[in-house]
Amino acid sequence: MKKCLLFAALFISGWLSGKSEAVILSPGKTVGQHYTLEIGVRHQQLDSLVDAWFETGSGVNPYTLKAGTHEVHALFSHPRTGKTITAEAFYYQAAVADERANRYRSSTTDWPWRIRFAPPDTGVWECLVQVEVHLTGKMAHDVVLQNRFLFPVLKFNCTPSGRHGMLRVNAGQRYLEHADGSPFFAIAQNIAWADKPVLRGHSPFPPVYVTGFYDMLNYVNSFGDQGGNYVRIIMAPWSTGIEWKQAGVYEQEPAWVMDSILKIAERKNMYIHLCLEMHSGYILHFDREYSWYAHPYRNFSGKDSSVVGALSQAATLDLFKQRYRYIHRRWGYS
């Protein structure tokens, strides 16, 4: 009997931890201060549950991760100063340009969980990545099984970069400054969106031009080349908005575009004014494809729901919180 129990314990342990890794994907074991460090994570058990959700709807929705359910996060510690910072992971799919279809399409990745961190202090940092999976079922004798998996500690060195850090409002004043107290003067441009979710834009009739994502990325890059340092981006549903096709499910192609914008901004030392909502989604007198008629929250709440009625429901407010949680996990590090 003891041998059977031992075998069962070893089998469960292997199932929980097999093919599970956490690695530094970029830029390596050395990163500049205030630049992006990206960690990739895979965890066999959690990844299997996510695959089941996409295939049958019976597993785990990867966009709903939070403490107390299923969670992937990292604790960054700076031994010299004693500073600790927690960063939460987000579900990630890569995207590739389909030139023939003139669109981005999602593609698979070996690292479906990503953690991003911009180290604020120079010196050696340590990172402890943790995965928690909460299950119920016969395996746990009908009680919650909490699988807490710790990966080996990752270490990296943060070197001086000359960057001044995040922007903040000066205490008691009405102007922006950097995190280190140095002043910031904005040379700004509104490059709000691509007009259509396509790669290349087109001109239906002169002088009108309908922009695509390639145009948007080119505009941001060119503006940085000319000395611009502040760009306003709006997450419109036809552009970089990530939740329009289905409530609670985030489209990875426009998220990939937002990643690309952030990469350009980091290279050019630019800042992004990110607007998270577009008013057109909550009115009726607009293009039906991107108005309240087609809003996923309307379908979620019932097609006869008014805007006020739908947005007054606790379940709809939870969807807002869930989306903002994902946005913060994916881009709030920067």
Side-chain angles (χ1 to χ4, degrees), residues 2-309:
K2 290 182 179 179
K3 290 182 179 180
C4 292
L5 291 175
L6 176 60
F7 173 79
L10 291 174
F11 173 79
I12 293 171
S13 176
W15 177 64
L16 295 179
S17 61
K19 295 183 180 178
S20 298
E21 290 183 272
V23 300
I24 296 175
L25 297 178
S26 63
K29 293 189 177 181
T30 300
V31 58
Q33 186 180 16
H34 302 302
Y35 278 83
T36 302
L37 178 90
E38 183 154 337
I39 294 173
V41 182
R42 57 188 176 199
H43 184 268
Q44 185 186 34
Q45 180 191 13
L46 183 57
D47 296 348
S48 297
L49 293 170
V50 170
D51 290 343
W53 184 82
F54 279 113
E55 292 170 5
T56 67
S58 62
V60 172
N61 180 347
Y63 305 114
T64 61
L65 265 65
K66 62 180 179 179
T69 56
H70 310 283
E71 177 66 303
V72 183
H73 66 267
L75 180 66
F76 291 89
S77 58
H78 192 257
R80 178 169 56 83
T81 62
K83 181 179 292 185
T84 60
I85 300 173
T86 299
E88 298 166 316
F90 60 92
Y91 183 73
Y92 172 91
Q93 287 179 323
V96 296
D98 185 336
E99 297 284 350
R100 179 172 296 181
N102 197 29
R103 291 183 179 265
Y104 282 111
R105 58 178 176 82
S106 60
S107 62
T108 58
T109 174
D110 292 332
W111 308 100
W113 307 101
R114 301 295 175 97
I115 299 167
R116 291 174 179 165
F117 181 64
D121 298 307
T122 59
V124 175
W125 285 80
E126 297 180 351
C127 174
L128 180 64
V129 179
Q130 177 174 304
V131 175
E132 294 186 29
V133 181
H134 298 241
L135 296 176
T136 59
K138 298 297 182 182
M139 182 184 295
H141 303 289
D142 296 319
V143 298
V144 173
L145 169 66
Q146 297 185 2
N147 169 37
R148 181 169 296 177
F149 187 85
L150 299 176
F151 293 92
V153 173
L154 301 173
K155 294 185 179 182
F156 60 92
N157 185 38
C158 176
T159 57
S161 68
R163 304 295 285 270
H164 297 290
M166 293 189 180
L167 292 184
R168 66 188 183 191
V169 177
N170 180 274
Q173 302 295 329
R174 300 180 65 182
Y175 59 85
L176 295 172
E177 66 178 14
H178 294 101
D180 64 2
S182 61
F184 174 78
F185 183 82
I187 303 174
Q189 177 67 49
N190 188 48
I191 308 178
W193 54 63
D195 294 318
K196 293 287 185 180
V198 296
L199 300 180
R200 292 187 176 86
H202 67 283
S203 183
F205 47 88
V208 173
Y209 184 76
V210 176
T211 62
F213 287 135
Y214 282 177
D215 301 295
M216 186 181 186
L217 296 174
N218 181 55
Y219 296 161
V220 175
N221 187 71
S222 297
F223 184 58
D225 287 342
Q226 301 305 315
N229 62 6
Y230 194 90
V231 173
R232 178 174 177 252
I233 304 292
I234 301 176
M235 299 185 75
W238 58 83
S239 182
T240 53
I242 61 174
E243 186 187 24
W244 192 255
K245 294 179 181 178
Q246 183 178 349
V249 178
Y250 309 131
E251 299 161 45
Q252 294 298 294
E253 296 85 355
W256 172 269
V257 176
M258 184 61 69
D259 285 345
S260 301
I261 293 171
L262 264 291
K263 288 178 181 178
I264 294 172
E266 185 168 290
R267 289 199 306 268
K268 305 291 184 179
N269 199 19
M270 303 169 72
Y271 289 84
I272 303 297
H273 180 139
L274 185 60
C275 299
L276 307 183
E277 288 290 341
M278 183 67 190
H279 72 278
S280 60
Y282 303 97
I283 59 177
L284 295 177
H285 303 293
F286 191 72
D287 181 350
R288 289 185 69 94
E289 186 178 3
Y290 295 112
S291 71
W292 184 245
Y293 291 110
H295 201 295
Y297 290 0
R298 177 174 180 257
N299 295 328
F300 177 81
S301 305
K303 290 189 176 181
D304 294 331
S305 297
S306 65
V307 174
V308 173

